[in-house]
Amino acid sequence: MKEFASSSPSIGSATGVTLSGNPAVLNAEEYGSAPSSQGRTGFPKASGQSLSYWLQQVRSDPLLDHRTTEQLPEQADTVIVGSGISGTLIAKHHLETWPERSVVVLEAREFCSGATGRNAGHCKPDQWRHFAKFEKAYGHEQAIQIMNNEAATWRALVSYVKENNVDCDLWVGDTYDVPLDDDVAKIAKECFERYRDLGGKVDHIKVTHDPVKAARISRIKNAKACYSWNASTLQPWKLTAHIMRENLKNGVNLQTYTLAKSIAADSSGSRKWLVNTDRGDVACDTVVHATNAYSAALEPSLKGVITPKPHICNKVVPPRAMSGSKAIQNSYGVLLPDGGLFSINPRCTADGVVMFGGSNSGQKQLDRWVEDHPEHCINDGLARIESITECVREFVENNLEGWKEAEIGPGEGFDYSWSGIIGLSADGVPFVGELPGKPGQFICAGHHGHGMARIFTAAPGLVKVMNGEPWEETGLPEVYKMTPERLKRLRSATEEAPKVAIV
């Protein structure tokens, strides 16, 4: 069994894994999130955002601009900043824990118009691929805990949707991780076997190393192997809206188009904190930061610790030759030789549109442009980025049987793309817990482009922390915990995290 090189425990944001002497890189992140320049941040873009496909579908929904009360409440027991899946789920579990306490949810723009409403609609628990990265950073026990937590998160999300009959286009089925290159396949095999040998759960993963069989199973012509397990796709805005509507029935006050600008001690003494917004102040005893990529704009101690980065999702309408009984029926993580990845979500239970997320050479071009123009770090007004669409088109034509020859009629093909903002964590894992030095202020953010596979356990876990329960009761990996030591270490780090972990 191949040994892993030693590494500082503070480094967890490597985006890929490589073997010594092997030129390829195995992608270790669902979104291929690369470390970025430290210190850039910003508030949500005030206007001109691109509309994701999910937001296009709900333009007549009154929840988009809902304000429970015409005036902003002057005080509340708890203020939650952010109305995505984090803030909305935290509000739900807060109500269940303290039904007598008042809760105000602040949203800078439309309801759920940040990362949750802009992602690729994939809830895919990583069950082995980034184990190597996290083992180097945190040891194999914590790395296995991270894998187990992602599986638990997926189960919690699916259970909630089914038990509550949520109309959100949920699909449950086999997801495939498919390396397209012999070298990547070799790294993948090493990583998978090490995970298995160190006690990782793999009984639910079907593995095919025969390229011919892998191509037949996955329908990816150039597949070199195939790893298969259960995952889901869904309409994320509709899921979040369902939860928020229940919150509203139970007393939550939602205030959209209300930008939280700063938080200070309440000098009047009536409450602990004063949340300053563009519509006035709200005094409260508890604040929850659920703004993910925008966290450092509101809380300066997080500058360089949580960093925003725009990412592109492509919507593709399959041609008739790839529709009906020939439609794609599985989701994918396609592993490219250079460490890139295509995250593919076909809406099998809905309209059959296929979403392409992930990282490719076009996305890397955009990353470099943002590095040179950091004012665009929060620009979710980007749309139809041709360099990224061209990479998707090239992949589809070269790897999906029948696509290149198919006639593309009006209304079919590479229809639209939009941007969403990822909240990169400096050590690659989210921050859950109380903000150091800020008693009564809590955070659930920094999901590193992988929030759908973490938040359904991270949000209720945070509420347990808020309730004074020991960390062990959250069921979350220890490395997710926000501590003074972790924050100090990350703020004082002078070396940029490596882009690959050498195994």
Side-chain angles (χ1 to χ4, degrees):
M1 184 170 67
K2 192 170 287 291
E3 292 295 324
F4 282 53
S6 62
S7 176
S8 164
S10 67
I11 293 174
S13 56
T15 63
V17 179
T18 190
L19 290 169
S20 180
N22 188 325
V25 178
L26 172 71
N27 185 282
E29 292 290 345
E30 188 69 12
Y31 285 81
S33 308
S36 57
S37 58
Q38 297 293 302
R40 73 187 190 206
T41 190
F43 288 102
K45 183 179 171 69
S47 61
Q49 307 96 304
S50 55
L51 275 182
S52 70
Y53 184 49
W54 318 123
L55 288 165
Q56 286 178 341
Q57 295 175 348
V58 295
R59 301 320 299 159
S60 63
D61 196 310
L63 197 58
L64 286 172
D65 59 352
H66 177 90
R67 286 180 178 173
T68 304
T69 55
E70 184 177 347
Q71 300 299 319
L72 186 68
E74 293 183 359
Q75 61 177 299
D77 293 317
T78 299
V79 171
I80 299 172
V81 186
S83 71
I85 193 67
S86 288
T88 297
L89 267 179
I90 290 165
K92 172 185 182 296
H93 289 278
H94 189 290
L95 287 166
E96 292 171 356
T97 305
W98 305 286
E100 74 285 358
R101 295 187 187 177
S102 57
V103 179
V104 172
V105 177
L106 303 178
E107 171 53 57
R109 305 177 299 190
E110 290 183 333
F111 168 74
C112 192
S113 58
T116 304
R118 312 183 76 82
N119 65 35
H122 215 175
C123 182
K124 175 173 178 169
D126 192 329
Q127 293 297 270
W128 63 277
R129 194 192 332 132
H130 63 199
F131 170 77
K133 180 188 88 162
F134 288 124
E135 188 198 8
K136 280 198 69 173
Y138 304 119
H140 80 271
E141 290 184 0
Q142 281 295 305
I144 288 174
Q145 278 194 35
I146 292 172
M147 303 291 102
N148 291 345
N149 173 252
E150 294 206 8
T153 301
W154 173 74
R155 289 194 297 269
L157 184 152
V158 171
S159 294
Y160 178 85
V161 171
K162 290 184 175 180
E163 289 170 9
N164 293 277
N165 197 28
V166 181
D167 177 15
C168 64
D169 303 338
L170 179 71
W171 168 84
V172 176
D174 286 339
T175 188
Y176 298 142
D177 266 8
V178 180
L180 289 192
D181 172 273
D182 287 328
D183 289 329
V184 177
K186 183 178 179 182
I187 302 171
K189 186 172 184 289
E190 292 275 5
C191 289
F192 179 84
E193 290 177 352
R194 181 168 179 82
Y195 175 56
R196 178 199 63 201
D197 293 347
L198 288 172
K201 297 178 181 178
V202 298
D203 290 348
H204 62 299
I205 303 175
K206 303 170 191 171
V207 183
T208 304
H209 292 301
D210 182 329
V212 175
K213 289 182 180 177
R216 185 174 68 249
I217 293 168
S218 69
R219 298 177 63 183
I220 304 291
K221 283 194 291 187
N222 296 308
K224 302 302 179 185
C226 183
Y227 298 77
S228 171
W229 65 98
N230 271 358
S232 289
T233 64
L234 69 155
Q235 215 283 23
W237 192 95
K238 288 184 177 180
L239 169 61
T240 311
H242 177 97
I243 300 168
M244 182 54 80
R245 288 191 179 97
E246 293 301 309
N247 290 343
L248 294 173
K249 291 176 186 175
N250 292 317
V252 161
N253 187 315
L254 171 63
Q255 295 286 325
T256 61
Y257 288 100
T258 306
L259 174 66
K261 298 161 64 178
S262 63
I263 301 171
D266 183 4
S267 58
S268 72
S270 64
R271 296 281 190 169
K272 287 183 182 177
W273 300 106
L274 199 65
V275 181
N276 172 251
T277 82
D278 55 357
R279 296 176 55 221
D281 298 337
V282 187
C284 63
D285 291 322
T286 303
V287 178
V288 179
H289 296 255
T291 59
N292 201 32
Y294 308 104
S295 297
L298 189 59
E299 175 46 57
S301 68
L302 299 174
K303 199 169 184 182
V305 176
I306 298 178
T307 304
K309 185 184 86 164
H311 216 84
I312 302 297
C313 181
N314 275 81
K315 169 198 170 193
V316 181
V317 180
R320 279 157 287 182
M322 299 293 292
S323 301
S325 62
K326 297 177 182 175
I328 297 171
Q329 297 294 331
N330 301 90
S331 76
Y332 297 83
V334 179
L335 310 174
L336 309 177
D338 62 353
L341 170 128
F342 283 111
S343 173
I344 306 175
N345 160 20
R347 287 169 43 78
C348 305
T349 60
D351 51 21
V353 164
V354 184
M355 303 296 181
F356 283 81
S359 179
N360 57 45
S361 57
Q363 177 66 48
K364 291 176 182 178
Q365 256 186 324
L366 175 61
D367 293 347
R368 289 191 293 269
W369 180 74
V370 173
E371 289 290 308
D372 293 337
H373 302 86
E375 68 274 15
H376 287 282
C377 69
I378 47 83
N379 189 353
D380 52 12
L382 304 171
R384 296 186 171 92
I385 305 297
E386 183 55 33
S387 60
I388 296 175
T389 301
E390 184 55 38
C391 291
V392 176
R393 183 183 290 110
E394 182 180 339
F395 165 79
V396 164
E397 291 180 352
N398 290 339
N399 287 280
L400 295 182
E401 196 76 51
W403 198 297
K404 188 173 184 178
E405 299 76 25
E407 176 187 353
I408 306 294
E412 298 173 337
F414 299 83
D415 182 60
Y416 181 59
S417 67
W418 66 90
S419 54
I421 309 300
I422 287 175
L424 296 177
S425 160
D427 56 3
V429 291
F431 299 88
V432 179
E434 190 168 41
L435 282 175
K438 304 286 179 73
Q441 290 195 43
F442 297 85
I443 187 168
C444 180
H447 297 290
H448 215 69
H450 202 47
M452 293 304 291
R454 291 172 175 165
I455 293 167
F456 243 80
T457 54
L462 177 67
V463 174
K464 289 184 178 182
V465 172
M466 293 167 64
N467 197 32
E469 299 178 45
W471 182 262
E472 293 72 28
E473 294 299 313
T474 69
L476 299 171
E478 186 74 25
V479 292
Y480 288 10
K481 186 178 182 180
M482 171 60 92
T483 65
E485 296 76 19
R486 181 183 176 195
L487 184 60
K488 182 180 179 181
R489 182 179 73 244
L490 294 174
R491 283 178 58 82
S492 62
T494 56
E495 295 182 8
E496 185 181 89
K499 293 187 178 181
V500 294
I502 301 174
V503 301

